[in-house]
Structure formats: structure tokens, C-alpha cells
């Protein structure tokens, strides 16, 4: 009795361009590819002497981090600065007051500062949706991670990293390993990989770390690392979120490492030219061995570099999408 | 004061009546059906041509928010909503602040309801003091002060021995116990049904077992204690099946389901609309189908609104941070009529689940019927009236409903409480 709601109703403008970036789910292959192509061009630029472009000159980007994250915050900040934007960083603790009140009040305060873009990280799934639905028109919202729901810029920097090392997605078998249940990164990766046409997407985890009906998203489910890593081209490790762990989910970190930690022996099961990704920060000896993390097949540092480019790409695309929306609205008013 | 309600389709399931007939009301009571009592002269006439005349609706669960949560609603505002929805009797849960664990609170609620004069309010008493699940509340004193049944709400009594003693004590005084079954550990900090949509949205899930495990435990203890028990606002097909089995074995148990659980599913949560944040959560398509089937098979005795008004701010946050519940008193009838339109129930069967069946569950012999001599609690509604449930028409203090601005069919045109007109569509 209610029309199904699609995130694209919120994140795309009337011309189908990105005006917010909330989730990779439901975005077209063309749009995801456009993000990667745009990021590629910024990546070339970052190797030059002058790293700045004036795409966001005169715009104000507010980084609203309700959850601590040094590295995501700093890559967003750097991305915004390389686009010549003014940047406002706000670390807002959610512990002091009721979450909902804080979010609404913060939003209203920041709107009064006339920011053009909010980059939002929040511990509640749907927080970025909530903000995108409630901001004044022409303010772009970029999701920098909401609860367990989505972390689309992380997923797209992973896609960029894969594409730069492997080229086409079609022949690839990709395994996502670890705490899928609590992972917004895994959810966004799965949607992006499926849309970009990856040959096979696998998840590998014990049942306690797998969300209900994850197979409905077009992935193959493995609970055994040796089976799951066979013939894999890309291994995407996830951080074991220690702070979210209920003790009953796993007997111990050491047992997890023994069964699901990526060691050189386990990596040997995957294809010889397979690559390893990890969103960081790494728990060495919990989900990944130091020799693998620092080894020749690890792309972990490339991911950080690519992260800046992807964030520049989605920020510039969203600002442009908002401008188009504004022009369309004006024409609508004049007509 | 004599009132004549003329020309309507009279439906009174308790007396097996479904016919075009005039209804005569005198001195606050039903005085006659079809034929005027001797010497009857109408002081007021309500033309019910093309409309249905039935007993006032009885709602087994409506939160009025008073005392304690008057930012969400008051006894006056919410009973006004009840009158607009054709509800003349409602049961209100003990989860006020302070909770209904002493006669003073029970009396305060009834006094204020009487002062408001919009509907009969039957408070449900707490099963344990402060709903703490440890110390028995004074059930006998509460019953003497008008508490119609006893419940710990969703504050599940974890200790099964404590629960069994509470049930035995209630059985001693032949009191009705109500359960809103929920295993607190399995529910955890979940905010929606654990299934594909939950996985997609990355919300914490509430598995079906969070309800069924507790239904099973409560049924076994009910059987042992020999107490009359009612299970309120069930959401899972399996829960209802367990209760159907228990009834077949002769246990004095019954259940109700909130109207929205027959219509909506967890898929509605897509898009993070907090109006769909409910407790118990909206379940799967299979559960909805199972509940609808059980309703048709007679396994669900009553339909309730589970009315829960909130102030706007309580729903303006990311999904899991919002408070669960929706308003329902004013949409109870029009939404229930969808079940008739969709062929699940005949209109008299539906009316039964909204009137005489809940009266029977509560042990109210004189309510939910149009028997001559009964209090004249009457609902008159136009089943064909199409309208939009817009904000300016809501009488409840809360506007938290996904059905806001929704096109509805069927509308209450007049509500009488003890022969007094408490609502009339202007």
C-alpha cells in the first residue's frame, strides 16, 4: 500500500546526477564508472606539483563527525582543500545528550552558517539519509559512514584500487572476509561490486558475523576460509570491530585469527596474483598478519591515496549536481 | 433524552443482528431496535441512511500518555481521538509515569477520563511494582479500583518463578493477565524485524524468536497457573499458531493483533521512515500472510489500534534513535475496513472483532453490544465515505503515522457514549 522507497529519490537530481552521496546501492553502473573515471583524473593530478583545482572555490564543506575517525576525516579534509573549498571540521560527541536532539539541533545551527556540503559520519544507520531529507535545498550530503548501513566513499576507493590493478571487473572473483554483520563497508562494497559486474562476490565469516539473508544481495556465502579463498583474485579484509563485539559472537580473538585471519598460508590458497585490501585501521594479528599487510600483494597504502581522489570526485560531482538542480528549479519557477 | 438513529444498517454481532433498522435510545440506554418503544418521542434524530450503525468500538490497547508523558498526549486529547474514531471503550496500558501499580494512579486515570467525557477508559494494572519484574503489585486492590487486567507491558518478567507466582496470584482472584511477549535479550537494541531489509539497512534486527520464545514460555506458565490470559499486539504467525493450539487444548487464552500488522511489512522500513518504527516491529510478508490467514480462520479474536502518540521530535532522528509506535485510534476503523474490501472478513465479522469479541475477552457483559437495556455506546459510520487523513483532521496530540495524507475509505460520522453524542462529523 506504500510505494517502495529508493535511496536514489534522495541522492539523485532530476537529471539523474548525484546531488548527495548516501549509498552505492541502486546507483547505475554508468554513474559508478563516472565516479571512478573522475577519481582517476584527480589521481593523475595529485602526482603533479600543483595539486589544487578551483572546483569548490568559495564553497564551505562542513565535516560532521559524530563518530571519531582520524583517517577518514583527514582524507575528506584534504580532498575538500584540494578542491579549494573552505573546510570546517566538527567532532561532535553523541554521548552527552540524546542523539536525536543533538543531530537536529546541530543541523539547524550549521545551516545558519551556510555550509554548502555536509560530510557526515554517525553511529546510527540512516543518519545521512535523515540529514539529506532535512537539509535546506542545495546543500549536498556525503555519507562518510552511517552505523552498519553504508560507507560509499570507502567502497568506491576500493573499487578504484581494484580497477587500477585488475582492470575489468567481469573476470574477478572477490572475497570479503570477516565481520560482515557489523560492517557498513562490506554492504557498500557488495552493492558496488555487483553493479560494476564483478564475476563472483563471496563473503567469508562465521555465522555469528553474517547478517540474515546476506545471500539475497547476490553473494556466495562461505564459513570456511580455505574454501572461500580458492580461485580468488581480490581479498577484501574487514576490521574486526572490537568495540562492537558481544562476547558471545566469538570465543576469542585468537580463535578468530586462527580460522579467519589472513596469513601467508591462507593467502596462498587464493590466486598467485591476488591482491589484498583492508579499509584500516588494521588489527595486526587479529584479522591480518603483519607479513601480509606489509607484503607485496597488499594495496592498503594505495587505498589511502585513492581515497582522496574518490572523495574529490564525489564532492565535485555532488556540488555540480546541486547546481544543476538549482538551475532546473529556477527554470521551473520561470516557466 | 430520546435519540432515534434512523435508516441505518444495524450490525450487532453479539445478537446476530444485521438488518436495516432504526435504533431507539432512551435515558442513555438502548431502548429498542426496529420498533419504537411505547410512547417514544425522539428529541434528536440522526439520519443513518446508507450508513452502518454498530456498537461503539472497544480497543484493547491505546496509550493515552497521561500521567507522565503529556508532551505526547493527554487523556483528554487521546479520548477525543477515540471518539472521532468511533471507539467508546479503550484499555490503556500501565506504562504511565508513575506506572499503574497503586490504586491512586488507576483512579486518577479514570477520574480524568470521566471529566473529559469522551470515552470509557479501562486502565490495565501493573503486574509487578514499578514494572520491575520482582515484587508483585497489589493486584486485588488495583482490581477493586477499576483495573480491568494486569500486565507488565514490554517490561518482561525475566524471572520465570516470579512470573509464575504472579500468574498464580492473579488466578486466585480470577483476574485477567495480559502479555506483550518479548524476550528482552533477543530483542536487544533491535529496531526492526531481522530479515533482508534489516540487513540492507544495517539496522539491529529483532528476530521472530524474540516474540515466539516468550509466547511459548508464557503459555506453559499460564497452563500451570490456570489463569485467564490475553496476548496483545502479536506480530508473528508462529505466535498466533501457538495460541490457537493452546485454545484447542482448552486453555483460557486469547490474542489480538494491531491493525497495521495485517497491512504492512518490514519492507516498508526501506528509506528509514521513522513512522514505520514500531514495537513489535513490522514483520515479513510471510508473517503478514499468516496473520491474515489466522484472522480468517478465527485464530485472532480482536483487532486493536495500539495507539501510541508522540511529540514530533520523538520521530525526528535517525531510525533507531526514534521512539517506536504510531497513532491509530482514528484510523482503526477505516484501515480495518480494508480487510473487508480485501475479502478477509465479512463486515459483521469485522465489527465483532472490534466490539463484542474484545468485550468478551475483558469480561464485559454489557459492552460491545446493542442489546436492549445496554448502555448506548454506538458508532455510526459511512463505509463509502472517501477522505484524506490530513494533519488538520487529527484529534490526537500525535501526528506520527505513515497514513498521514493517505486516502482512506470509511469514516465515523457519529459516536454516542452512554447516549451522549461525543462526536459528530461536521
Amino acid at each position: 500500500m506504500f510505494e517502495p522507497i529508493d535511496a536514489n529519490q534522495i541522492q539523485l537530481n532530476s537529471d539523474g546526477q548525484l546531488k548527495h552521496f548516501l549509498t552505492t546501492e541502486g546507483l547505475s553502473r554508468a554513474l559508478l564508472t563516472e565516479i571512478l573515471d573522475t577519481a582517476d583524473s584527480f589521481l593523475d593530478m595529485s602526482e603533479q606539483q600543483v595539486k589544487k583545482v578551483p572546483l569548490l572555490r568559495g564553497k564551505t564543506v562542513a565535516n560532521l563527525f559524530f563518530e571519531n575517525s582520524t583517517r577518514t576525516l583527514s582524507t575528506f579534509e584534504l580532498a575538500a582543500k584540494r578542491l579549494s573549498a573552505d573546510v570546517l571540521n566538527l567532532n561532535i560527541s553523541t554521548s552527552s545528550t540524546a542523539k536525536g536532539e543533538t543531530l537536529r539541533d546541530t543541523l539547524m545551527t550549521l545551516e545558519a552558517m551556510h555550509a554548502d556540503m555536509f560530510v557526515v559520519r554517525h553511529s546510527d544507520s540512516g543518519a545521512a539519509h535523515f540529514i539529506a531529507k532535512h537539509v535546506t535545498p542545495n546543500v549536498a550530503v556525503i555519507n562518510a559512514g552511517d552505523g552498519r548501513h553504508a560507507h560509499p566513499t570507502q567502497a568506491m576507493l576500493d573499487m578504484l584500487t581494484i580497477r587500477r590493478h585488475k582492470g575489468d571487473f567481469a573476470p574477478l572473483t572477490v572475497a570479503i572476509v570477516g565481520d560482515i554483520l557489523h560492517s557498513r563497508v562490506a554492504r557498500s562494497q557488495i552493492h558496488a561490486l555487483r553493479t560494476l559486474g564483478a564475476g563472483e562476490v563471496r563473503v567469508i565469516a562465521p555465522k555469528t558475523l553474517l547478517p540474515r539473508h546476506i545471500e539475497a544481495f547476490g553473494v556466495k556465502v562461505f564459513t570456511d576460509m580455505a574454501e572461500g579463498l580458492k580461485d580468488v583474485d581480490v581479498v577484501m579484509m574487514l576490521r574486526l570491530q572490537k568495540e562492537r563485539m558481544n562476547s558471545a559472537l566469538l570465543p576469542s580473538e585468537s580463535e578468530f585469527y586462527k580460522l579467519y585471519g589472513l596469513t601467508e598460508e591462507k593467502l596462498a590458497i587464493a590466486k598467485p596474483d591476488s591482491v589484498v585490501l583492508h579499509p584500516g585501521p588494521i588489527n595486526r594479528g587479529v584479522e591480518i598478519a603483519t607479513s601480509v599487510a606489509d607484503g607485496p600483494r597488499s594495496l592498503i597504502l594505495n587505498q589511502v591515496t585513492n581515497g582522496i581522489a574518490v572523495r574529490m570526485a564525489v564532492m565535485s560531482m555532488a556540488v555540480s549536481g546541486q547546481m544543476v538542480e538549482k538551475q532546473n528549479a529556477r527554470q521551473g519557477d520561470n516557466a | 433524552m430520546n435519540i432515534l438513529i434512523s435508516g441505518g444498517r444495524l450490525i450487532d454481532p453479539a445478537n446476530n443482528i444485521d438488518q436495516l433498522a432504526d435504533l431507539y435510545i432512551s435515558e442513555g440506554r438502548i431502548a429498542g431496535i426496529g420498533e419504537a418503544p411505547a410512547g417514544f418521542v425522539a428529541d434528536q434524530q440522526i439520519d443513518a441512511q446508507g450508513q452502518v450503525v454498530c456498537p461503539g468500538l472497544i480497543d484493547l490497547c491505546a496509550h493515552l500518555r497521561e500521567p507522565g508523558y503529556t508532551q505526547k498526549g493527554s487523556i483528554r486529547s487521546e479520548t477525543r481521538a477515540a471518539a472521532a474514531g468511533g471507539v467508546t471503550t479503550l484499555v490503556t496500558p500501565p506504562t504511565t509515569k508513575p506506572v499503574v501499580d497503586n490504586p491512586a494512579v488507576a483512579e486518577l486515570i479514570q477520574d480524568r477520563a470521566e471529566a473529559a467525557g469522551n470515552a470509557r477508559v479501562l486502565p490495565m494494572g501493573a503486574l509487578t511494582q514499578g514494572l520491575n519484574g520482582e515484587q508483585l503489585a497489589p493486584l486485588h486492590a488495583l482490581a477493586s479500583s477499576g483495573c480491568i487486567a494486569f500486565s507488565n507491558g514490554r517490561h518482561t518478567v525475566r524471572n520465570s518463578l516470579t512470573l509464575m507466582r504472579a500468574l498464580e496470584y492473579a488466578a486466585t482472584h480470577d483476574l485477567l493477565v495480559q502479555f506483550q511477549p518479548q524476550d528482552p535479550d533477543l530483542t536487544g537494541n533491535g529496531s526492526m524485524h531481522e530479515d533482508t531489509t534489516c540487513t540492507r539497512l544495517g539496522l539491529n534486527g529483532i528476530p521472530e524468536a524474540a516474540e515466539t520464545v516468550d509466547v511459548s514460555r508464557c503459555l506453559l506458565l499460564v497452563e500451570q497457573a490456570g489463569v485467564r490470559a490475553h496476548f496483545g499486539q502479536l506480530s508473528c504467525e508462529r505466535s498466533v499458531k501457538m495460541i490457537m493450539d493452546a485454545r484447542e487444548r482448552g486453555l483460557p487464552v486469547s490474542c489480538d493483533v494491531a491493525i497495521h500488522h495485517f497491512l504492512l511489512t518490514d519492507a516498508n522500513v526501506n528509506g528509514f521512515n521513522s513512522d514505520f518504527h514500531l514495537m513489535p516491529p513490522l514483520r515479513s510478508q510471510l508473517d503478514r500472510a499468516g496473520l491474515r490467514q489466522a484472522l480468517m480462520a478465527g485464530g485472532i479474536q480482536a483487532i486493536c489500534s495500539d495507539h501510541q502518540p508522540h511529540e514530533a521530535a520523538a520521530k525526528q532522528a535517525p531510525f533507531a534513535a526514534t521512539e517506536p509506535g504510531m497513532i491509530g485510534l482514528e484510523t482503526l476503523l477505516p484501515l480495518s475496513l480494508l480487510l473487508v474490501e480485501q475479502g478477509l472478513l465479512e463486515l459483521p465479522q469485522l465489527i465483532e472483532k472490534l466490539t463484542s469479541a474484545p468485550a468478551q475477552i475483558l469480561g464485559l457483559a454489557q459492552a460491545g453490544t446493542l442489546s436492549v437495556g445496554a448502555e448506548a455506546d454506538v458508532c455510526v459510520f459511512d463505509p463509502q465515505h472517501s477522505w484524506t487523513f490530513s494533519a488538520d483532521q487529527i484529534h490526537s496530540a500525535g501526528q506520527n503515522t505513515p497514513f498521514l495524507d493517505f486516502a482512506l475509505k470509511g469514516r465515523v460520522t457519529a459516536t454516542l457514549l452512554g447516549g451522549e453524542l461525543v462526536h459528530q462529523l461536521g
Side-chain angles (χ1 to χ4, degrees):
Chain A
M1 62 199 312
F2 290 92
E3 291 295 314
I5 291 175
D6 186 339
N8 287 345
Q9 291 166 2
I10 308 171
Q11 65 181 350
L12 300 185
N13 70 15
S14 41
D15 290 357
Q17 299 160 323
L18 216 55
K19 63 171 180 171
H20 302 297
F21 191 39
L22 307 177
T23 173
T24 51
E25 185 182 9
L27 291 180
S28 67
R29 189 169 185 165
L31 195 54
L32 293 188
T33 305
E34 187 190 341
I35 294 172
L36 297 180
D37 293 346
T38 311
D40 256 333
S41 68
F42 286 128
L43 208 52
D44 298 340
M45 197 194 73
S46 70
E47 283 156 14
Q48 293 165 7
Q49 291 252 309
V50 179
K51 297 184 174 65
K52 275 198 175 187
V53 283
L55 285 172
L56 261 62
R57 179 167 291 159
K59 304 277 183 193
T60 305
V61 173
N63 287 320
L64 311 184
F65 276 56
F66 295 86
E67 224 181 41
N68 286 330
S69 165
T70 318
R71 67 163 66 196
T72 306
L73 177 61
S74 44
T75 55
F76 267 109
E77 184 177 358
L78 202 52
K81 285 182 172 166
R82 286 196 178 160
L83 293 168
S84 311
D86 295 321
V87 183
L88 185 65
N89 287 333
L90 290 145
N91 263 308
I92 309 149
S93 165
T94 49
S95 56
S96 50
T97 42
K99 281 184 206 165
E101 292 287 324
T102 308
L103 193 50
R104 281 175 64 238
D105 294 347
T106 312
L107 202 59
M108 280 154 66
T109 311
L110 289 165
E111 280 181 352
M113 295 182 191
H114 300 290
D116 301 284
M117 178 181 292
F118 291 152
V119 177
V120 183
R121 167 168 289 202
H122 197 283
S123 57
D124 275 321
S125 299
H129 272 74
F130 174 78
I131 291 175
K133 271 194 266 188
H134 289 86
V135 283
T136 46
N138 308 315
V139 176
V141 176
I142 308 289
N143 187 1
D146 63 325
R148 303 175 180 184
H149 170 242
H151 195 350
T153 59
Q154 175 69 46
M156 290 314 292
L157 76 86
D158 295 336
M159 297 309 115
L160 183 64
T161 308
I162 294 171
R163 196 175 78 166
R164 288 179 75 90
H165 284 83
K166 292 287 180 188
D168 190 13
F169 285 90
L172 299 181
T173 298
V174 182
I176 305 170
V177 184
D179 184 2
I180 314 283
L181 176 65
H182 298 99
S183 179
R184 53 193 173 211
V185 174
R187 286 172 174 80
S188 288
Q189 286 171 338
I190 289 168
H191 295 308
L193 284 166
R194 296 277 303 149
T195 304
L196 290 167
E200 185 174 315
V201 184
R202 302 175 177 180
V203 294
I204 312 175
K207 286 187 175 180
T208 48
L209 296 181
L210 285 168
R212 191 73 64 100
H213 296 315
I214 186 71
E215 70 283 356
F217 302 92
V219 298
K220 278 197 176 173
V221 178
F222 291 83
T223 53
D224 183 87
M225 195 71 162
E227 281 177 41
L229 286 181
K230 204 165 176 290
D231 303 323
V232 160
D233 300 281
V234 181
V235 187
M236 305 177 86
M237 298 304 294
L238 296 172
R239 179 178 160 79
L240 188 67
Q241 302 264 8
K242 277 194 246 180
E243 64 274 20
R244 282 185 183 159
M245 274 293 157
N246 271 326
S247 56
L249 288 170
L250 291 173
S252 67
E253 274 178 19
S254 59
E255 181 154 319
F256 179 79
Y257 183 65
K258 188 166 176 270
L259 296 173
Y260 299 98
L262 190 64
T263 55
E264 291 193 61
E265 299 78 54
K266 294 205 194 87
L267 187 56
I269 301 165
K271 283 191 186 161
D273 63 344
S274 60
V275 292
V276 176
L277 284 77
H278 190 299
I282 304 168
N283 290 312
R284 291 168 192 266
V286 178
E287 71 256 351
I288 191 163
T290 290
S291 59
V292 174
D294 303 338
R297 281 148 79 177
S298 166
L299 300 178
I300 295 173
L301 292 178
N302 303 59
Q303 287 175 271
V304 179
T305 313
N306 294 344
I308 297 164
V310 159
R311 281 156 187 149
M312 288 171 78
V314 296
M315 285 172 141
S316 57
M317 286 168 70
V319 163
S320 137
Q322 289 285 357
M323 276 161 62
V324 170
E325 187 84 324
K326 199 172 176 179
Q327 281 160 9
N328 287 352
R330 240 186 241 144
Q331 279 164 7
D333 286 345
N334 294 340
Chain B
M1 179 81 173
N2 290 342
I3 302 174
L4 166 61
I5 303 177
S6 61
R9 174 180 171 189
L10 211 91
I11 300 179
D12 182 18
N15 293 310
N16 247 326
I17 293 174
D18 179 4
Q19 64 186 70
L20 284 177
D22 295 340
L23 183 68
Y24 298 90
I25 295 163
S26 185
E27 304 303 323
R29 291 183 180 273
I30 307 292
I33 290 171
E35 278 176 50
F40 185 95
V41 180
D43 301 304
Q44 189 177 1
Q45 184 168 344
I46 296 168
D47 179 9
Q49 279 206 31
Q51 303 197 43
V52 173
V53 180
C54 70
L57 310 189
I58 299 180
D59 190 348
L60 289 176
C61 188
H63 293 254
L64 307 183
R65 305 302 196 191
E66 191 182 350
Y69 302 97
T70 43
Q71 77 278 17
K72 298 179 184 296
S74 66
I75 288 172
R76 188 171 290 276
S77 67
E78 302 320 294
T79 54
R80 179 65 190 89
V87 174
T88 52
T89 298
L90 60 88
V91 178
T92 183
T95 46
T96 45
K97 194 168 69 182
V99 299
V100 188
D101 63 359
N102 67 74
V105 181
E107 279 157 19
L108 176 136
I109 290 172
Q110 293 170 93
D111 289 349
R112 292 209 179 151
E114 205 171 314
N118 296 317
R120 297 178 206 281
V121 173
L122 306 173
M124 210 169 349
L127 197 57
T128 61
Q129 282 184 14
L131 302 173
N132 66 8
E134 291 165 14
Q135 175 69 44
L136 268 190
L139 305 190
H140 186 266
L142 286 167
S144 306
S145 311
C147 287
I148 188 83
F150 296 86
S151 174
N152 232 51
R154 297 202 169 276
H155 303 258
T156 307
V157 180
R158 282 176 186 245
N159 184 320
S160 296
L161 180 61
T162 306
L163 179 57
M164 191 168 76
R165 287 187 173 145
L167 300 183
E168 284 171 343
Y169 191 76
T172 307
H173 301 290
D174 192 28
L175 302 174
L176 176 68
V177 171
Q178 189 253 28
F179 295 108
Q180 289 176 294
Q182 165 173 290
D183 181 300
D185 299 311
L186 287 169
T187 303
N189 56 359
S191 57
M192 75 169 294
H193 175 58
E194 187 178 86
D195 209 332
T196 315
T197 303
C198 174
T199 293
R200 165 179 289 120
L201 298 179
L203 291 164
N204 288 332
I206 304 174
E208 183 197 273
E211 179 172 300
T212 52
V213 163
D214 202 37
V215 169
S216 158
R217 178 183 77 130
C218 292
L219 277 174
L220 292 167
L221 295 176
V222 161
E223 184 161 15
Q224 179 138 351
V227 70
R228 290 188 292 131
H230 178 74
F231 290 78
Q233 301 90 57
L234 296 178
S235 64
C236 302
E237 177 189 21
R238 202 181 293 253
S239 305
V240 174
K241 281 197 166 150
M242 282 191 272
I243 287 164
M244 287 168 85
D245 287 348
R247 279 171 70 88
E248 235 162 75
R249 281 188 285 124
L251 286 195
V253 293
S254 53
C255 69
D256 71 64
V257 170
I259 179 60
H260 38 265
H261 280 276
F262 292 113
L263 302 172
L264 307 173
T265 67
D266 62 334
N268 288 114
V269 180
N270 270 320
F272 295 105
N273 181 349
S274 63
D275 283 331
F276 293 105
H277 183 193
L278 306 173
M279 196 63 86
L282 294 170
R283 298 287 183 185
S284 68
Q285 192 125 28
L286 284 175
D287 276 310
R288 181 179 63 176
L291 291 178
R292 289 163 74 96
Q293 212 140 39
L295 181 71
M296 292 168 79
I300 296 164
Q301 287 69 49
I303 300 170
C304 76
S305 72
D306 199 9
H307 177 80
Q308 296 184 38
H310 283 295
E311 74 279 26
K315 286 288 190 185
Q316 288 173 358
F319 190 86
T322 60
E323 294 184 49
M326 66 160 86
I327 56 167
L329 281 165
E330 293 166 83
T331 44
L332 176 61
L333 183 66
L335 291 179
S336 296
L337 287 169
L338 286 172
L339 303 177
V340 175
E341 192 176 298
Q342 293 164 4
L344 272 69
L345 298 172
E346 295 296 325
L347 185 57
Q349 286 177 299
L350 173 71
I351 303 291
E352 184 205 339
K353 299 207 180 287
L354 294 169
T355 59
S356 56
Q360 197 183 357
I361 290 165
L362 298 172
L364 302 171
Q366 284 293 299
T369 162
L370 298 176
S371 303
V372 172
E375 300 247 32
D377 293 355
V378 184
C379 167
V380 183
F381 68 92
D382 179 350
Q384 300 304 324
H385 185 113
S386 293
W387 59 300
T388 303
F389 188 55
S390 56
D392 59 321
Q393 298 183 20
I394 295 180
H395 293 85
S396 168
Q399 301 198 342
N400 50 299
T401 169
F403 295 103
L404 188 66
D405 296 324
F406 199 79
L408 297 170
K409 200 170 150 197
R411 189 170 195 181
V412 174
T413 56
T415 306
L416 281 83
L417 182 71
E420 299 278 334
L421 201 56
V422 288
H423 173 74
Q424 193 163 26
L425 189 60

